[in-house]
Amino acid sequence: MQRLQRVSLRDQALVIVRQAIVSGEIRPNEIYSASALATRLGVSNSPVREAMLTLVNQGILEPVRNRGFRIVPISEHDLDEIGEMRRMLEIPGVVALVDRARDEDIEALRPVATEIEEAARRGDVSVFLEADRRFHLGLLALGGNSRLVDTIAQLRDQTRLYGVNALAEQGTLQQTAPEHFEILDALLARDAAAVERIMARHLDHIRGEWAGAVPASTPAADAT
């Protein structure tokens, strides 16, 4: 995990812990204490505990009395349902931007696509996931439907990309990163069919090679 800077510590902790869950760095069936994670992040317990309680409220973590927190179990079926919901909601939401979004607002996301591509080239999963989240939620926000953005954000947080670290090591993320530019270019061309096709392919990566298989259950263990 990366270390935190002394700015908005609770928000930074939330971002990093959430990314660690999504990427599989924080593992199912293991118990994590706020104090242990705070030590790893180089901050006091309070902002990390606040971040983890936020994730409890979102149904992503669950408290373990007098021990810490663990991930709410998720199955292959759960991941399939999440992927199906994202395709049902996110693809039409982005396609609708063909008629709704201004060119300058679409172009404003190009630097974020560049961040994604550079992080993929470095194999930096944490930065990749953070920039990817900003890109997709920022794109949906152009449609003006805050409930849609919030729903997709929650679905993203429930996803577990167990295979993403291995893909980063293999350099495979570099093959999917350019799709973000393809989405922007198709929107600017006002080509709804191309936007739908690229978005469908992009989301298929997430449930396919990105997610991988749900790890087998192992005895719970305290994180150090």
Side-chain angles (χ1 to χ4, degrees):
M1 289 186 184
Q2 54 188 309
R3 293 177 70 85
L4 298 178
Q5 300 174 0
R6 305 296 298 181
V7 181
S8 303
L9 294 182
R10 177 263 183 192
D11 291 341
Q12 288 188 70
L14 180 59
V15 168
I16 293 172
V17 172
R18 183 170 55 208
Q19 289 171 354
I21 292 170
V22 171
S23 70
E25 184 178 355
I26 290 180
R27 307 288 295 174
N29 306 307
E30 295 187 5
I31 298 173
Y32 294 84
S33 70
S35 60
L37 289 177
T39 298
R40 293 173 62 182
L41 297 174
V43 295
S44 64
N45 294 354
S46 181
V48 176
R49 181 171 179 78
E50 289 174 10
M52 297 180 86
L53 287 173
T54 297
L55 294 171
V56 169
N57 291 335
Q58 294 175 354
I60 297 169
L61 292 178
E62 59 185 7
V64 180
R65 185 175 178 85
N66 297 324
R67 298 187 67 186
F69 302 86
R70 66 185 166 206
I71 298 175
V72 173
I74 192 167
S75 67
E76 294 284 356
H77 178 68
D78 294 328
L79 290 172
D80 287 338
E81 287 190 342
I82 292 167
E84 182 179 17
M85 287 186 66
R86 287 192 63 179
R87 288 191 295 273
M88 291 171 63
L89 297 174
E90 195 166 352
I91 294 175
V94 175
V95 170
L97 299 178
V98 167
D99 298 320
R100 296 181 184 177
R102 301 181 302 173
D103 285 2
E104 55 266 38
D105 293 332
I106 296 170
E107 279 291 353
L109 288 167
R110 197 170 293 274
V112 186
T114 299
E115 288 182 51
I116 295 169
E117 188 172 58
E118 291 175 348
R121 186 169 56 251
R122 296 192 307 270
D124 191 332
V125 170
S126 180
V127 173
F128 180 95
L129 290 175
E130 191 276 331
D132 185 75
R133 180 185 177 85
R134 278 191 288 121
F135 179 91
H136 286 286
L137 297 185
L139 196 61
L140 286 171
L142 299 182
N145 188 330
S146 60
R147 287 179 174 81
L148 175 60
V149 176
D150 291 343
T151 298
I152 296 300
Q154 185 175 12
L155 290 172
R156 287 178 64 95
D157 292 345
Q158 292 172 358
T159 305
R160 307 287 190 270
L161 304 181
Y162 296 113
V164 72
N165 285 305
L167 292 175
E169 293 173 1
Q170 297 164 10
T172 308
L173 292 183
Q174 295 183 54
Q175 299 174 19
T176 61
E179 292 175 353
H180 299 87
F181 293 106
E182 293 178 28
I183 294 167
L184 297 179
D185 292 340
L187 285 170
L188 290 169
R190 306 300 169 181
D191 188 338
V195 173
E196 182 174 5
R197 183 176 64 254
I198 298 164
M199 281 296 302
R201 174 174 18 113
H202 191 66
L203 292 181
D204 282 346
H205 292 314
I206 295 171
R207 183 58 193 104
E209 64 263 31
W210 286 32
V214 174
S217 296
T218 56
D222 290 320
T224 57

